Amino acid sequence: MSYRDNMSAGALSAWDRLTAQYGDLRVNSAYRDPEHNRRVGGAKQSQHMHGNAFDVDVSGMPQDARLALINDARAAGFSGIGVYDNALHFDVGPERAWGADYTRNSLPDWAASAFGGPAPTGGALQGNAMVDTGAMQPEPGQNALAQMQQQRMMQDRLQQNSRIDPRAFMASTGRAPKLSFT
């Protein structure tokens, strides 16, 4: 059985966009039936049970490469992002982000900048561009068209500015990333 089995079209589309840039990423978990989800302690309404989520092994990957992967996953269409010690969760469910205790409060500081939080200090992202998505959020009361245009602009900025440093990717994974020139 392939990890792609039972996945939603939206999740596969986002996954294919992400892996077109990164090559194969090591998947820890994708679709889970309710029984399997219960056994592994998954959330009662887990996006894994709907075929909407992938958990990716990032053990050994430096924080700047993880941040670039998060930004690229968001640009590829993933809207739910979970950040754990050795894994990242990407899903196409509602837009949200969380850390180890499944709340936004536990999102690591280094990852917060991908979601409009404060940027890490101390040069943690040397050599990688950062985008402050918080400044790109639609203002309350904007009409739907203006909101869509602003969201598209944010996605375009993420796409342009959140490329991974190939040297960091090779150092963390032992293989070269797939590069595309658009």
Side-chain angles (χ1 to χ4, degrees), residues 4-105:
R4 295 177 65 93
D5 291 345
N6 298 314
M7 296 302 291
S8 71
L12 286 174
S13 179
W15 182 255
D16 289 344
R17 284 191 293 275
L18 185 62
T19 58
Q21 182 176 347
Y22 282 85
D24 291 330
L25 295 166
R26 192 173 356 180
V27 175
N28 290 339
S29 184
Y31 172 78
R32 298 180 194 150
D33 64 52
E35 176 60 25
H36 179 76
N37 190 65
R38 186 189 60 71
R39 281 194 317 270
V40 299
K44 289 181 182 174
Q45 296 298 317
S46 173
Q47 291 293 322
H48 287 282
M49 294 189 304
H50 302 288
N52 289 333
F54 294 93
D55 290 345
V56 176
D57 180 6
V58 293
S59 56
M61 185 182 285
Q63 287 178 355
D64 59 342
R66 292 179 190 200
L67 184 59
L69 181 57
I70 289 169
N71 284 329
D72 289 335
R74 293 186 74 207
F78 289 107
S79 46
I81 311 288
V83 180
Y84 307 104
D85 287 341
N86 293 310
L88 295 173
H89 168 101
F90 301 134
D91 73 52
V92 293
E95 188 167 335
R96 66 218 185 287
W98 64 92
D101 74 359
Y102 307 105
T103 69
R104 179 90 176 209
N105 292 337

